[in-house]
């Protein structure tokens, strides 16, 4: 099941600097981000054969529904100083994006359409 990691953040009068090096538990092969999501839209709605993801909401917030076949969970991502590690077996959907949301995704594998499994666990 997915779990949170906290990133080291240095803050002073100039602002904040958050570091993710050595925090992600896999080699990063792909980086993308989701933003400008239309109200009511749902993203994701799949799981993977082998890809692990780290999701970081750089700005704003979004909700996730996660189903690993044994447990179902709903969580909110809302800060750039935390990441959600999402194992391949976790069927997931992202929804309820705030208007200003920017969701960055770090992936352990390159894009491969055969890697996606659309069917949710019962």
């Amino acid at each position: 099941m997915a779990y949170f990691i906290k990133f080291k953040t240095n803050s002073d009068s100039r602002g904040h600097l958050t570091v993710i090096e050595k925090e992600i538990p896999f080699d990063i092969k792909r980086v993308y981000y989701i933003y400008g999501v239309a109200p009511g839209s749902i993203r994701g709605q799949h799981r993977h054969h082998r890809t692990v993801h780290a999701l970081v909401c750089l700005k704003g917030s979004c909700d996730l529904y996660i189903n690993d076949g044994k447990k179902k969970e709903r969580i909110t991502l809302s800060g750039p100083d935390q990441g959600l590690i999402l194992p391949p077996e976790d069927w997931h959907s992202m929804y309820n994006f705030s208007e200003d949301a920017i969701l960055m995704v770090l992936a352990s594998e390159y894009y491969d359409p055969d890697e996606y499994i659309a069917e949710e666990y019962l």
Side-chain angles (χ1 to χ4, degrees):
M1 180 58 91
Y3 62 92
F4 282 100
I5 57 174
K6 188 84 168 160
F7 301 128
K8 181 177 179 176
T9 299
N10 299 301
S11 300
D12 62 24
S13 61
R14 301 169 295 170
H16 311 284
L17 182 131
T18 298
V19 180
I20 64 170
E21 65 190 43
K22 300 181 183 177
E23 300 293 333
I24 304 299
F26 55 82
D27 290 334
I28 299 166
K29 293 185 180 173
R30 184 172 181 228
V31 178
Y32 59 94
Y33 43 96
I34 300 168
Y35 62 100
V37 178
S41 293
I42 300 173
R43 304 297 308 248
Q45 298 183 295
H46 60 265
R47 58 189 167 102
H48 293 271
H49 290 287
R50 64 184 184 280
T51 304
V52 181
H53 289 97
L55 285 71
V56 182
C57 200
L58 297 175
K59 186 173 183 184
S61 65
C62 70
D63 294 327
L64 276 88
Y65 164 76
I66 302 168
N67 178 353
D68 72 355
K70 299 175 188 122
K71 181 180 174 186
K72 297 176 183 178
E73 187 173 11
R74 295 185 188 276
I75 60 168
T76 298
L77 289 176
S78 62
D81 63 343
Q82 67 177 357
L84 181 73
I85 303 301
L86 194 64
E89 64 272 10
D90 284 7
W91 191 95
H92 60 282
S93 62
M94 294 90 69
Y95 62 98
N96 196 27
F97 286 82
S98 63
E99 188 176 306
D100 61 344
I102 301 172
L103 179 64
M104 180 178 67
V105 182
L106 311 172
S108 67
E109 304 297 326
Y110 297 113
Y111 174 75
D112 176 357
D114 294 330
E115 169 69 7
Y116 291 74
I117 303 167
E119 298 82 27
E120 182 179 354
Y121 300 105
L122 297 177

